[in-house]
């Protein structure tokens, strides 16, 4: 069965971080700090998860003066269920790997 588009290690990390605080609205920088993901990786993941109905999003209501509003995220019920489902599945990193087959070349005599 092919992998679902929301099952990459990076997406799993985002879902797990959001699932750790399921009712809290979280902003991107906070999630980036927890997951270690760069913004160029994180924000596309957040956008895809929101497009699939796994995240609720909104803008911060009253930011402090001098700071722009933050975009906030939290899991939907469907997103929480998917986060739990992914936590129960083994990751490819934890699955046993077979040794790669390396072709060998015969030794060249007289070289």
């Amino acid at each position: 069965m092919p992998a679902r588009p929301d099952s990459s290690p990076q997406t799993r990390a985002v879902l797990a971080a959001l699932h750790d605080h399921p009712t809290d609205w979280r902003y991107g920088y906070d999630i980036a700090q927890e997951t270690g993901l760069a913004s160029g990786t994180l924000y596309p993941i957040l956008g895809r998860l929101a497009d699939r109905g796994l995240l609720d999003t909104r803008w911060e209501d009253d930011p402090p003066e001098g700071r722009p509003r933050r975009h906030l995220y939290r899991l939907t019920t469907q997103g929480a269920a998917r986060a739990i489902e992914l936590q129960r599945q083994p990751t490819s990193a934890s699955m046993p790997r077979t040794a790669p087959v390396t072709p060998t070349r015969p030794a060249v005599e007289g070289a």
Side-chain angles (χ1 to χ4, degrees), residues 16-105:
L18 289 165
H19 191 259
D20 288 344
H21 312 279
T23 60
D24 295 348
W25 286 98
R26 311 264 313 269
Y27 58 96
Y29 182 75
D30 179 41
I31 299 166
Q33 292 294 108
E34 185 171 338
T35 61
L37 296 174
S39 61
T41 300
L42 175 63
Y43 288 102
I45 290 171
L46 291 171
R48 284 192 298 273
L49 292 173
D51 289 347
R52 292 184 183 124
L54 301 178
L55 293 182
D56 284 327
T57 66
R58 69 176 177 94
W59 287 100
E60 183 178 40
D61 293 329
D62 293 315
E65 190 172 330
R67 182 177 55 73
R69 293 186 310 158
R70 294 175 174 160
H71 205 166
L72 303 170
Y73 307 88
R74 74 174 175 193
L75 290 175
T76 62
T77 303
Q78 181 183 356
R82 181 64 179 145
I84 291 168
E85 180 183 340
L86 286 171
Q87 288 174 352
R88 292 179 179 159
Q89 293 177 357
T91 63
S92 58
S94 67
M95 297 174 83
R97 293 181 173 222
T98 58
V101 177
T102 306
T104 57
R105 297 192 301 183

